[in-house]
Amino acid sequence: MGKETGFLEFDREDRTAADPAERVAHYNEFVHALPEGKLRNQAARCMDCGIPYCHTGCPVNNLIPDWNHLVYEADWKRALDMLHSTNNFPEFTGRVCPAPCEAACTLNIVDQPVTIKSIECAIVDRGWNEGWIKPQVPAKRTGKSVAVIGSGPAGLACAQQLARAGHAVTVFEKADRIGGLLRYGIPDFKMEKHLINRRAVQMEAEGVQFRTSSEVGVEVSFSALRENFDTVVLAGGAEEARKLDIPGAELPGVRLAMEFLTQQNKRNAGDDEVRAAPRGTLTATGKHVIVIGGGDTGSDCVGTSNRQGAKSVTQLEIMPRPPEKEDKALTWPDWPLKLRTSSSHEEGVERDWSVLARRVVAEGGDVVGLECVRVEWRDGKMEEVEGSTFTLPADLILLAMGFTGPKRRGLLDRAGVELDARGNVRADTQTYATSEPNVFSCGDMRRGQSLVVWAIREGRQCARAVDEALMGSSVLPR
């Protein structure tokens, strides 16, 4: 694959980004693609591995060495076709995926993995610019109908695959626009939303119908869907946010991260404040902001707070600070635990680890601080460090502590499907069938909080399972 000596001739060189002081002034994407010559050099670095471990690292099983070789040979159109054979939306993953494929790359043993994510993004972006990406309208229709509930990456991937198989697919989305957390959870500076709109146009041409502002279990009857569609797919995501159970957490200045991020994305989309903030404007402007949670959602809150003009931003994590570098002999090619610094962190934030929030400090009903204590972890158990209590100034506390599973109120209460021990919809990864006849589930609603790339994989696999159930066999890939 690539050039036999490419990994010896060329060092790793990735995409560049605008200066932090410049990019915090807007909400647009700020990453600059490499020019074609440099991209081909990076693709040339892909080794002729006996076992391409990047395959094991990629949830959608991208044929990474193959399309790297095609890029090296400047055969971009075939590279795009190969990329699309495993991934419906590489422009999404090429922007927001953490790239476990690169962690699994053989060259990562020496901390020089192939720039797989950047090459993937370049392939699909070129495909759109060249006009190569067109609707794939099925030659014939099956007469079967499928209702897909949820328009996040799992629902979209499932719907597109089923439409291409000839089924009549209708996607029901409770929000006013499609995209799920791609639309309202991921900030525009990481992924601009015209990318979703462009795919929606393609999918509509392929026969998919979208019904927005249609929450199943509220505005739309679940029983009516079962009566009017041959199958129903539950792809509603994992939206039940983990709560902060401490004194003062009920105060107005303590808010969920997703509400904060959604409001800004709606403003960026042109919504007025009534539509963007039905519960009242939530902004970090001029405030001391504390973000509780050290993951991607917390990082997104940091970047958004900086763009809104926060006075200070502090991000707290209850777990210990990870090591700067992983133990390759112990972890490779698996995803390593190590310190990760995002582009939002580079824009300005104080980060602290092994910190437990104990009490929200308030004056006259307004949040003015957060009392914390340091903790130590011994044998997987957390212990407070005696005498380590401290208080941070805070006007706004954002909770980004992850999600506990899908919301049960409405849809799942009425669907009557069995849940697993974690509260997710019970379904295996072979049939994706739930306990209810002709009802399937995929994505975060089935597996729990996860990555966009895992949602796409599950949506594709679920589509094949649904196609097999409707037709007796399927030619759709898993």
Side-chain angles (χ1 to χ4, degrees):
M1 294 297 114
K3 187 178 182 182
E4 291 182 356
T5 57
F7 71 98
L8 298 172
E9 296 178 36
F10 308 112
D11 290 331
R12 174 182 166 95
E13 185 176 1
D14 210 345
R15 293 174 287 188
T16 59
D19 184 83
E22 172 191 332
R23 67 196 192 217
V24 294
H26 60 77
Y27 290 91
N28 301 324
E29 292 182 15
F30 52 80
V31 175
H32 306 311
L34 290 174
E36 180 174 350
K38 288 188 175 183
L39 277 166
R40 292 179 62 191
N41 287 345
Q42 292 303 302
R45 298 183 65 245
C46 190
M47 303 170 69
D48 191 11
C49 298
I51 299 175
Y53 286 98
C54 57
H55 284 183
T56 66
C58 178
V60 293
N61 304 123
N62 274 337
L63 304 173
I64 296 163
D66 303 82
W67 44 254
N68 272 335
H69 183 70
L70 291 169
V71 169
Y72 167 59
E73 294 190 327
D75 196 344
W76 292 87
K77 178 64 168 60
R78 286 183 63 201
L80 176 68
D81 293 340
M82 190 164 290
L83 177 56
H84 270 144
S85 72
T86 57
N87 187 351
N88 294 67
F89 313 119
E91 65 269 44
F92 302 165
T93 52
R95 286 168 168 81
V96 302
C97 183
C101 54
E102 293 189 19
C105 176
T106 302
L107 281 172
N108 191 43
I109 295 174
V110 292
D111 292 317
Q112 288 282 310
V114 175
T115 55
I116 299 169
K117 179 177 174 179
S118 294
I119 296 169
E120 173 185 41
C121 197
I123 293 170
V124 68
D125 284 355
R126 181 162 185 155
W128 283 109
N129 292 336
E130 296 284 352
W132 294 335
I133 301 175
K134 301 181 183 300
Q136 297 180 27
V137 181
K140 61 180 180 179
R141 299 290 177 179
T142 64
K144 303 292 186 179
S145 60
V146 183
V148 176
I149 302 173
S151 68
L156 291 177
C158 185
Q160 184 167 60
Q161 292 295 94
L162 288 169
R164 290 174 175 177
H167 305 305
V169 183
T170 303
V171 177
F172 293 84
E173 170 55 55
K174 67 181 179 181
D176 57 347
R177 299 177 178 93
I178 71 162
L181 291 187
L182 287 170
R183 171 78 63 178
Y184 288 133
I186 295 174
D188 288 9
F189 56 80
K190 287 175 66 175
M191 193 186 89
E192 294 178 7
K193 302 308 178 275
H194 70 87
L195 303 170
I196 305 173
N197 301 340
R198 188 169 59 184
R199 281 294 181 183
V201 171
Q202 179 197 37
M203 291 175 65
E204 287 176 332
E206 293 169 346
V208 177
Q209 296 184 36
F210 292 105
R211 289 185 54 181
T212 56
S213 300
S214 300
E215 184 173 0
V216 179
V218 181
E219 289 96 356
V220 179
S221 165
F222 182 78
S223 60
L225 293 189
R226 295 196 65 180
E227 291 174 5
N228 291 289
F229 290 86
D230 294 303
T231 59
V232 178
V233 176
L234 307 177
E239 298 180 291
E240 197 66 64
R242 184 170 283 108
K243 304 297 193 298
L244 181 65
D245 188 17
I246 62 172
E250 74 286 351
L251 292 169
V254 182
R255 306 291 277 271
L256 294 176
M258 292 313 304
E259 182 182 9
F260 176 69
L261 296 173
T262 297
Q263 282 195 13
Q264 188 56 56
N265 281 9
K266 283 177 173 272
R267 294 186 193 104
N268 294 345
D271 289 356
D272 59 29
E273 207 60 19
V274 174
R275 291 187 64 189
R279 292 185 55 211
T281 297
L282 178 57
T283 179
T285 306
K287 296 179 180 178
H288 294 292
V289 178
I290 293 180
V291 179
I292 301 180
D296 290 339
T297 301
S299 173
D300 293 343
C301 289
V302 170
T304 302
S305 295
N306 282 325
R307 282 162 177 76
Q308 290 183 354
K311 187 178 295 184
S312 69
V313 185
T314 304
Q315 186 176 21
L316 304 178
E317 169 59 54
I318 196 170
M319 300 302 293
R321 179 185 174 115
E324 297 281 346
K325 179 176 168 57
E326 74 272 29
D327 183 342
K328 288 289 197 314
L330 182 65
T331 62
W332 183 86
D334 295 328
W335 183 248
L337 174 65
K338 67 176 183 178
L339 181 65
R340 302 179 193 280
T341 299
S342 72
S343 60
S344 292
H345 294 143
E346 295 170 352
E347 294 161 4
V349 64
E350 291 293 327
R351 303 168 74 184
D352 206 350
W353 291 264
S354 297
V355 174
L356 174 67
R358 294 179 64 177
R359 179 175 67 92
V360 178
V361 182
E363 292 179 2
D366 295 327
V367 172
V368 296
L370 180 67
E371 182 183 297
C372 306
V373 64
R374 300 203 174 275
V375 297
E376 291 182 347
W377 291 86
R378 295 190 178 93
D379 299 323
K381 295 182 179 180
M382 182 182 69
E383 297 178 4
E384 295 186 9
V385 177
E386 186 176 353
S388 65
T389 301
F390 63 99
T391 300
L392 295 170
D395 305 300
L396 175 63
I397 299 173
L398 298 173
L399 308 182
M401 303 180 297
F403 302 87
T404 60
K407 291 184 176 180
R408 301 187 187 185
R409 299 177 300 279
L411 172 59
L412 292 188
D413 285 344
R414 286 161 176 75
V417 294
E418 291 181 5
L419 305 180
D420 63 20
R422 296 190 301 153
N424 303 318
V425 176
R426 185 184 297 279
D428 61 43
T429 55
Q430 292 300 313
T431 67
Y432 285 88
T434 71
S435 58
E436 290 294 308
N438 302 318
V439 179
F440 299 78
S441 185
C442 62
D444 288 6
M445 183 166 270
R446 190 207 68 82
R447 69 179 287 118
Q449 177 188 354
S450 191
L451 303 174
V452 169
V453 66
W454 273 108
I456 294 172
R457 171 194 173 120
E458 293 222 347
R460 288 171 61 88
Q461 291 189 341
C462 182
R464 179 183 171 93
V466 170
D467 191 34
E468 286 179 336
L470 291 173
M471 309 301 294
S473 63
S474 178
V475 296
L476 291 175
R478 273 181 58 82

